[in-house]
Amino acid sequence: MFFSMEPDKFFPYTQIDVVQFPIGLSGNDIIEKTFKGPIHQQLRDALQYIRNTVIMEEVVKYPDRAEADRFFNYPYAAVEEALSNAVYHRAYGEREPIEVRIESDRIEIVSFPGPDRSVTQEGLKNYRVSNRRYRNRRIGDFLKELHLTEGRNTGFKKNFGCMKDKWFP
């Protein structure tokens, strides 16, 4: 999957689909972009696309001070962590792509078959996910070498911590 330009020949739907709904699910506008190729390149390209076309910055200047405040519509670090984890932990035997669904108020990342059964709602609420069994250890090793993941069960806490600090003080 890292060394083939067309890994979907061997594992169908090994791709990342980014789907935007600019005016919501009830609107007629849908923007779709599919990323194929080696999975690390899919990940990098999808993240770059999201950074360039989805994440927006607002700068608020004040008349009484030189410093401005900067706000982003989505936390890039959280998106990066979640999408990296989706690539790492998906079941490549499933014939479903990773899908990133972008609406005006949320980003959903769907990767089948979803989280391991050891991940509980209670654990998520407390930022405690202690599963040590990895679905794709070798893929994780490569992603770690490429500095795309840490591979030490830090994803949930890092992701939620980033969102909590910036969006839910």
Side-chain angles (χ1 to χ4, degrees):
M1 289 186 275
F2 286 91
F3 306 109
S4 171
M5 293 307 291
E6 297 176 343
D8 54 321
K9 280 185 172 181
F10 309 101
F11 299 96
Y13 292 98
T14 299
Q15 64 193 48
I16 299 173
D17 293 340
V18 177
V19 185
Q20 294 175 264
F21 302 92
I23 56 174
L25 295 175
S26 62
N28 292 327
D29 294 336
I30 299 174
I31 302 168
E32 296 178 294
K33 180 87 170 142
T34 298
F35 298 91
K36 293 186 172 194
I39 60 174
H40 63 289
Q41 195 60 50
Q42 289 178 30
L43 176 57
R44 284 187 171 137
D45 291 348
L47 287 169
Q48 189 66 44
Y49 176 81
I50 290 167
R51 176 180 272 178
N52 290 342
T53 63
V54 174
I55 296 180
M56 302 292 173
E57 178 181 24
E58 180 179 343
V59 178
V60 178
K61 293 186 173 198
Y62 301 97
D64 59 334
R65 61 184 168 128
E67 299 84 14
D69 287 329
R70 296 177 178 277
F71 303 93
F72 294 89
N73 58 342
Y74 298 108
Y76 177 76
V79 173
E80 179 183 38
E81 185 68 33
L83 189 53
S84 297
N85 276 304
V87 169
Y88 187 161
H89 298 294
R90 84 167 269 198
Y92 286 90
E94 298 272 345
R95 292 176 177 250
E96 293 292 335
I98 293 172
E99 185 177 69
V100 181
R101 297 175 58 86
I102 301 165
E103 298 179 49
S104 62
D105 63 341
R106 73 186 62 155
I107 295 178
E108 295 177 354
I109 299 175
V110 180
S111 178
F112 289 96
D116 187 79
R117 65 179 178 256
S118 66
V119 176
T120 65
Q121 287 286 56
E122 188 61 34
L124 291 175
K125 286 179 187 174
N126 296 314
Y127 309 117
R128 294 271 182 215
V129 180
S130 58
N131 180 23
R132 300 300 300 157
R133 193 183 113 214
Y134 296 100
R135 194 173 277 146
N136 300 303
R137 185 170 290 276
R138 195 67 185 124
I139 288 173
D141 291 344
F142 279 112
L143 292 174
K144 186 176 179 181
E145 289 296 319
L146 295 168
H147 304 286
L148 294 167
T149 63
E150 286 82 35
R152 291 292 169 214
N153 208 27
T154 59
F156 279 113
K157 186 158 182 127
K158 182 177 177 182
N159 198 343
F160 287 124
C162 169
M163 289 189 297
K164 184 176 186 273
D165 293 344
K166 299 212 180 224
W167 271 260
F168 308 107

